[in-house]
Amino acid sequence: MSIPSPRLKSQISSFKLEDARSAFSKSNLRLQTSNLRPRKSVGLSLVELIVFIVIVGVAVAGVLGALNVSTRASADPVIQKQALAVAEAVLEEVQLMPFTYCDPDDPQAATAQSAAVGPTGCTAAASVENPGAEATPPYGPETRLGVTTPYDNVNDYNLFSMGPGITDISGAAITGLSAYTVVVGVAGQAFAAFGGGRAIPAADSLLVTVTVTGPGNTTATLHGYRVRYVPNALP
């Protein structure tokens, strides 16, 4: 077995060192080459940006349109509430009136037992209460604000209208209601017997309908009933 000479060992070591240097240079070159390759962009392209702006614009326009409709619809709650308050006030005014067989100015209004003309009824046909205000003296012509012959029965308010502008029972204009109108309807309303009770004929029961119209054609309608439970009750 031969032993390598020192010179041969030196040459072998030199070859190994060169191989290592060559391998390192190739690896370093490969790394530098990879760094030179173009990287994929992580931002937005112009097309993507434009599409994003369009989508957001359409969404915002839809939301604003919905808010606009909602605002127009919700701008009327105050008007709606005001119209309802006016309707309630007028309905109460009507229902508080007497519901007698005869006009309260008739001398027999407090004793009349029916709407017939005679000793137990009204003194004259002109004083018999029917839907609508009395027009014949001395019981009429009646108006809501009349001094000598004002409305004095529920029936008198049939076909009554007021406005534009609302006034109280004394004729004073109510501030802020100049654009409101009121229409009242009064009609007989019969009720069938229920629960063992008796039926109520249309002559003894009235349906009162009050319709108030405000700005923007905002309307409020209320219905109320007035029954002849105290036929001879006078104010």
Side-chain angles (χ1 to χ4, degrees):
M1 178 176 174
S2 59
I3 299 175
S5 62
R7 183 178 180 179
L8 181 59
K9 290 181 178 180
S10 177
Q11 291 177 348
I12 293 173
S13 299
S14 178
F15 288 147
K16 290 181 178 180
L17 181 59
E18 289 294 334
D19 291 340
R21 288 178 178 175
S22 177
F24 177 77
S25 298
K26 291 179 180 180
S27 175
N28 189 31
L29 180 61
R30 191 179 299 111
L31 181 60
Q32 292 177 355
T33 303
S34 64
N35 290 337
L36 293 177
R37 294 175 182 175
R39 295 182 179 181
K40 185 177 180 180
S41 176
V42 295
L44 295 175
S45 67
L46 180 60
V47 175
E48 292 173 334
L49 182 59
I50 293 175
V51 171
F52 173 77
I53 293 175
V54 171
I55 293 175
V56 172
V58 172
V60 171
V63 172
L64 292 179
L67 290 176
N68 187 30
V69 173
S70 176
T71 301
R72 286 202 307 266
S74 63
D76 296 335
V78 173
I79 298 176
Q80 184 71 38
K81 290 180 180 179
Q82 188 64 74
L84 184 60
V86 173
E88 289 176 343
V90 175
L91 180 61
E92 182 180 16
E93 176 185 327
V94 176
Q95 290 180 316
L96 288 176
M97 288 291 174
F99 184 19
T100 54
Y101 294 115
C102 314
D103 186 280
D105 292 330
D106 188 313
Q108 297 179 184
T111 58
Q113 300 176 14
S114 71
V117 177
T120 59
C122 304
T123 58
S127 71
V128 175
E129 281 291 347
N130 292 297
E134 279 70 41
T136 305
Y139 308 106
E142 292 180 328
T143 61
R144 176 174 179 258
L145 304 178
V147 177
T148 57
T149 54
Y151 287 170
D152 51 12
N153 192 283
V154 179
N155 280 302
D156 295 339
Y157 283 85
N158 185 46
L159 302 181
F160 167 72
S161 62
M162 174 172 50
I166 305 300
T167 62
D168 60 20
I169 196 66
S170 67
I174 301 176
T175 304
L177 302 181
S178 60
Y180 292 79
T181 60
V182 176
V183 176
V184 180
V186 179
Q189 177 67 58
F191 288 94
F194 178 78
R198 69 180 184 87
I200 302 176
D204 291 334
S205 177
L206 297 176
L207 170 63
V208 181
T209 303
V210 178
T211 302
V212 178
T213 303
N217 289 325
T218 302
T219 60
T221 301
L222 291 181
H223 301 280
Y225 294 94
R226 182 71 159 83
V227 179
R228 200 192 302 274
Y229 50 86
V230 280
N232 298 323
L234 300 175

